[in-house]
Amino acid sequence: MNLDNFKNTWQQQNSFNESAITINQSMLSETKVNKQMKELSNMKWARIIESVIFFFIILLLGQYIAKNVSVSAPVISALILAVFAIVGLAGNIGQIVHISNIDYAKPISQLQKDVYRLCSHKLQLTKLLLMSAPFYMAYVFIGFDVLFEIDLFAHLEQHMVWFYSVSSLLLLIAAGCVSAKLN
């Protein structure tokens, strides 16, 4: 008899808990979708701002290359940076298009594929930034030449040129290994 009382009490408690806990599934889904939409909107605006910055960098580098039409270390550095900036701009535009094409009315499986495609595209941009790390001295050379009109390469001693060359080569190897891991 004690066991029957225990079972009845258990069932009453269980039905009481079920009635007390009601989850509004549609509201929960809407909240998650709204949060995702806000995050993607923020990402889209960040990519637009980055695209504008890349565009101005490309303009500055183009003006610099046009002004110094000779084969020198700063011009080669500017060409390298211009290539990375153009690819970065194209990547950002592609990501903006991917974000704009996401349709939340599609089935969940298609929405997940779209988000995975977006994340994959973002990973490719991250790899690009990683691959630009070995060219860090190009940023410094061009920055000083464009902003302060100081040609650092002309003022470097030979052992520093070798140091920067070897450190850039080591960074290229490390960036290549990390990029291979990201694949």
Side-chain angles (χ1 to χ4, degrees), residues 118-133:
L118 177 67
C119 291
S120 173
H121 196 267
K122 185 177 179 182
L123 183 62
Q124 295 299 326
L125 279 176
T126 303
K127 285 174 51 177
L128 169 73
L129 290 175
L130 182 66
M131 291 307 292
S132 71

Side-chain angles (χ1 to χ4, degrees), residues 82-96:
V83 168
F84 278 109
I86 290 169
V87 173
L89 177 63
N92 275 341
I93 291 171
Q95 202 163 22
I96 291 167

Side-chain angles (χ1 to χ4, degrees), residues 41-163:
S41 177
N42 290 342
M43 180 189 277
K44 183 178 177 180
W45 281 108
R47 295 300 169 256
I48 289 171
I49 292 169
E50 286 177 7
S51 297
V52 169
I53 291 170
F54 273 128
F55 182 75
F56 283 119
I57 289 172
I58 292 168
L59 283 180
L60 283 173
L61 290 173
Q63 289 174 350
Y64 179 80
I65 292 168
K67 188 173 81 173
N68 303 313
V69 185
S70 65
V71 179
S72 64
V75 172
I76 292 171
S77 298
L79 284 172
I80 291 170
L81 294 180
V83 168
F84 278 109
I86 290 169
V87 173
L89 177 63
N92 275 341
I93 291 171
Q95 202 163 22
I96 291 167
V97 169
H98 279 305
I99 293 170
S100 298
N101 288 339
I102 291 180
D103 184 13
Y104 290 96
K106 290 181 179 178
I108 294 293
S109 61
Q110 185 62 39
L111 186 62
Q112 283 179 331
K113 287 179 185 177
D114 291 344
V115 171
Y116 286 143
R117 191 175 302 121
L118 177 67
C119 291
S120 173
H121 196 267
K122 185 177 179 182
L123 183 62
Q124 295 299 326
L125 279 176
T126 303
K127 285 174 51 177
L128 169 73
L129 290 175
L130 182 66
M131 291 307 292
S132 71
F135 303 104
Y136 70 98
M137 283 311 298
Y139 301 118
V140 175
F141 285 136
I142 296 302
F144 270 90
D145 205 4
V146 168
L147 298 176
F148 307 117
E149 296 183 7
I150 298 172
D151 186 5
L152 287 181
F153 193 76
H155 298 293
L156 286 179
E157 293 183 23
Q158 189 63 32
H159 71 279
M160 289 306 293
V161 172
W162 279 105
F163 171 76

